[in-house]
Amino acid sequence: MSSVFNEALGNFVKNFAYGDAVRHLLSRGYTIERIKSEYHYPLSIEELKKIEMEYRKAQV
Protein backbone atom coordinates (compact mmCIF):
# COMPACT_ATOMS: atom_id res chain seq x y z
CA MET A 1 0.00 0.00 0.00
CA SER A 2 1.10 3.53 -0.58
CA SER A 3 2.16 5.74 2.29
CA VAL A 4 -0.48 8.31 1.32
CA PHE A 5 -3.19 5.68 1.66
CA ASN A 6 -1.78 4.47 4.99
CA GLU A 7 -1.73 8.03 6.33
CA ALA A 8 -5.30 8.67 5.17
CA LEU A 9 -6.48 5.41 6.71
CA GLY A 10 -4.74 6.23 9.98
CA ASN A 11 -6.34 9.67 10.08
CA PHE A 12 -9.76 8.16 9.40
CA VAL A 13 -9.38 5.60 12.18
CA LYS A 14 -8.23 8.22 14.70
CA ASN A 15 -11.08 10.55 13.76
CA PHE A 16 -13.59 7.72 14.00
CA ALA A 17 -12.27 6.56 17.35
CA TYR A 18 -11.71 9.94 19.00
CA GLY A 19 -13.17 12.70 16.83
CA ASP A 20 -16.71 12.70 18.22
CA ALA A 21 -15.46 12.68 21.81
CA VAL A 22 -13.07 15.56 21.12
CA ARG A 23 -15.79 17.56 19.32
CA HIS A 24 -18.16 16.93 22.24
CA LEU A 25 -15.61 18.26 24.72
CA LEU A 26 -14.93 21.28 22.51
CA SER A 27 -18.65 22.01 22.44
CA ARG A 28 -18.58 21.99 26.25
CA GLY A 29 -15.85 24.64 26.29
CA TYR A 30 -12.79 22.45 26.82
CA THR A 31 -9.53 23.60 25.31
CA ILE A 32 -7.23 21.29 23.38
CA GLU A 33 -4.66 21.54 26.16
CA ARG A 34 -7.24 20.51 28.77
CA ILE A 35 -8.47 17.63 26.63
CA LYS A 36 -4.90 16.39 26.15
CA SER A 37 -3.97 16.67 29.83
CA GLU A 38 -7.17 15.32 31.39
CA TYR A 39 -8.10 12.56 28.96
CA HIS A 40 -4.73 11.39 27.66
CA TYR A 41 -5.98 10.64 24.15
CA PRO A 42 -3.26 9.01 22.06
CA LEU A 43 -3.37 11.93 19.64
CA SER A 44 -0.78 14.62 19.23
CA ILE A 45 -1.59 18.25 19.93
CA GLU A 46 -1.40 18.82 16.16
CA GLU A 47 -3.98 16.11 15.50
CA LEU A 48 -6.27 17.51 18.18
CA LYS A 49 -5.91 21.01 16.75
CA LYS A 50 -6.82 19.68 13.30
CA ILE A 51 -10.03 18.22 14.73
CA GLU A 52 -10.67 21.55 16.46
CA MET A 53 -10.18 23.51 13.20
CA GLU A 54 -12.62 21.25 11.38
CA TYR A 55 -15.09 21.57 14.26
CA ARG A 56 -14.85 25.39 14.26
CA LYS A 57 -15.31 25.55 10.46
CA ALA A 58 -18.47 23.45 10.73
CA GLN A 59 -19.88 25.87 13.32
CA VAL A 60 -19.89 28.82 10.87
Side-chain angles (χ1 to χ4, degrees):
M1 288 191 232
S2 74
S3 63
V4 173
F5 176 78
N6 286 338
E7 183 178 343
L9 181 59
N11 290 339
F12 173 79
V13 169
K14 288 176 188 174
N15 188 45
F16 182 79
Y18 303 106
D20 285 341
V22 170
R23 285 186 285 277
H24 171 75
L25 293 170
L26 289 168
S27 75
R28 299 286 190 238
Y30 282 61
T31 64
I32 291 300
E33 291 76 15
R34 183 176 177 192
I35 293 169
K36 181 71 173 170
S37 68
E38 290 185 19
Y39 292 93
H40 307 289
Y41 286 125
L43 301 172
S44 68
I45 290 290
E46 292 78 22
E47 291 169 317
L48 289 168
K49 286 183 178 181
K50 184 177 178 182
I51 293 171
E52 180 185 30
M53 277 191 342
E54 293 168 357
Y55 170 78
R56 301 282 180 222
K57 284 181 186 177
Q59 298 303 304
V60 175

